[in-house]
Amino acid sequence: MNYASYVAADGSHTWGIVSEGTAYDLGPSGLNLAPSLGAAVERGIFGTVGEEFRNAPARPEAEIEFLPSITHPGKIICIGVNYRSHQKETGKAEHQKEQKAPTIFTRFADSQMGHLQPAQMPASTNEFDYEGEMALVIGKEGFHVAEADAFDHVAGYAAYNDFSVRDWQLAATQWTPGKNFPGTGGFGPYLVPAADLGDVNELTLETRVNGDVRQKASVADLYFTIPQLISYVTGFTRLSPGDVIVTGTPGGVGRFMVPSGLLSAGDVVEVEITGLGTLRNTVELVD
């Protein structure tokens, strides 16, 4: 089942199920099961809604304005250089053999945007890049979670695009500035319950720029696995329902292409993951 956050007909924020091209409103302007998709995850409603959703107020999917799947997560934890193919292109493959812990940075909730919303390239940079990734959303509070129990804490998965302002990212050893410009964290279009997907290692991630395939990898190519990530992150911080972990990007980012594959205004970037739909954002130059 595909869940989404979007703007209701009255302009308020809502959420619901998108099925066969129709969005069914389960939020305050509809069946009012919870005030937001994040709240639905927190209350344990996410992934449990049956066929009664078809009684909700409905609109064509083509008419809705998507919001980030989780609009106000308490934490967004991003993992850097976590696909073997990306390690190779960055020249860090040998270093990774000795790495004991994942590279971690944070993204702010207000830097996110939804499916079909513009990716905002700041006019101050010529180094705007894409990073197609898979995000997971926490469904159960956890602290010091064992790897064997990690999947029990995952509510669902979605596509993510960690658009990066490379000159700001690489100006110092800490990446946070280049990862938090407004309108650079694409999240969606759907959040899909983990129970609907089976083995996530069998999913394939593909990123396209103007239709050209730039990244393609199996989730099984992650260096630090999802259980390892959840166990490590909960070793230093408590994760709550609605928190997000963005698991890393495969090889094929624009910065390491020859010639350069960095983005320009008007470029259309799509991140498609098996069973999760296609996240699409068009680059827009902003002051």
Side-chain angles (χ1 to χ4, degrees), residues 208-220:
R208 299 181 292 271
V209 178
N210 301 325
D212 178 42
V213 176
R214 297 285 186 88
Q215 298 178 293
K216 188 167 186 177
S218 167
V219 173

Side-chain angles (χ1 to χ4, degrees), residues 3-287:
Y3 288 75
S5 297
Y6 60 96
V7 179
D10 64 3
S12 63
H13 289 187
T14 192
W15 66 282
I17 287 174
V18 178
S19 177
E20 298 177 338
T22 300
Y24 296 87
D25 192 340
L26 305 182
S29 51
L31 293 186
N32 200 21
L33 300 185
S36 67
L37 185 49
V41 171
E42 184 176 356
R43 296 179 184 184
I45 297 169
F46 173 73
T48 69
V49 181
E51 287 300 308
E52 66 268 22
F53 79 83
R54 299 189 186 279
N55 298 322
R59 294 165 59 201
E61 179 181 4
E63 294 181 4
I64 67 172
E65 178 184 348
F66 284 89
L67 298 168
S69 293
I70 302 294
T71 53
H72 297 94
K75 295 184 178 78
I76 305 172
I77 306 292
C78 299
I79 312 301
V81 199
N82 196 34
Y83 274 82
R84 290 175 174 83
S85 55
H86 190 40
Q87 293 170 359
K88 184 177 180 180
E89 73 177 357
T90 60
K92 297 180 179 179
E94 289 301 315
H95 165 72
Q96 298 300 110
K97 291 179 181 179
E98 302 174 359
Q99 187 173 350
K100 305 302 182 185
T103 298
I104 288 181
F105 59 94
T106 57
R107 178 177 275 281
F108 307 144
D110 63 1
S111 71
Q112 297 189 126
M113 72 286 194
H115 172 58
L116 299 179
Q117 293 183 330
Q120 298 181 27
M121 174 181 173
S124 59
T125 186
N126 292 314
E127 299 183 34
F128 197 56
D129 209 349
Y130 54 87
E131 291 191 5
E133 311 199 24
M134 186 178 76
L136 64 88
V137 174
I138 296 297
K140 183 172 70 172
E141 183 174 293
F143 192 50
H144 295 171
V145 175
E147 289 182 26
D149 301 325
F151 281 120
D152 294 339
H153 291 261
V154 179
Y157 299 89
Y160 209 97
N161 198 330
D162 181 37
F163 286 97
S164 304
V165 184
R166 295 295 191 199
D167 46 350
W168 280 79
Q169 176 191 350
L170 302 173
T173 57
Q174 301 300 313
W175 298 353
T176 299
K179 300 288 191 172
N180 280 286
F181 277 74
T184 58
F187 190 9
Y190 314 120
L191 180 63
V192 179
D196 291 358
L197 291 171
D199 184 359
V200 291
N201 287 316
E202 296 181 356
L203 306 185
T204 297
L205 184 156
E206 180 175 290
T207 306
R208 299 181 292 271
V209 178
N210 301 325
D212 178 42
V213 176
R214 297 285 186 88
Q215 298 178 293
K216 188 167 186 177
S218 167
V219 173
D221 192 42
L222 285 171
Y223 185 82
F224 289 101
T225 66
I226 288 169
Q228 288 174 324
L229 295 176
I230 292 173
S231 181
Y232 181 79
V233 171
T234 59
F236 70 85
T237 189
R238 188 178 302 276
L239 291 178
S240 301
D243 287 345
V244 178
I245 297 178
V246 188
T247 58
T249 197
V253 300
R255 183 175 187 271
F256 294 101
M257 293 180 64
V258 180
S260 170
L262 293 169
L263 299 170
S264 300
D267 285 342
V268 178
V269 188
E270 298 171 302
V271 180
E272 181 176 3
I273 303 177
T274 314
L276 302 181
T278 301
L279 169 67
R280 182 180 300 108
N281 302 100
T282 300
V283 177
E284 177 182 280
L285 188 65
V286 297
D287 293 331

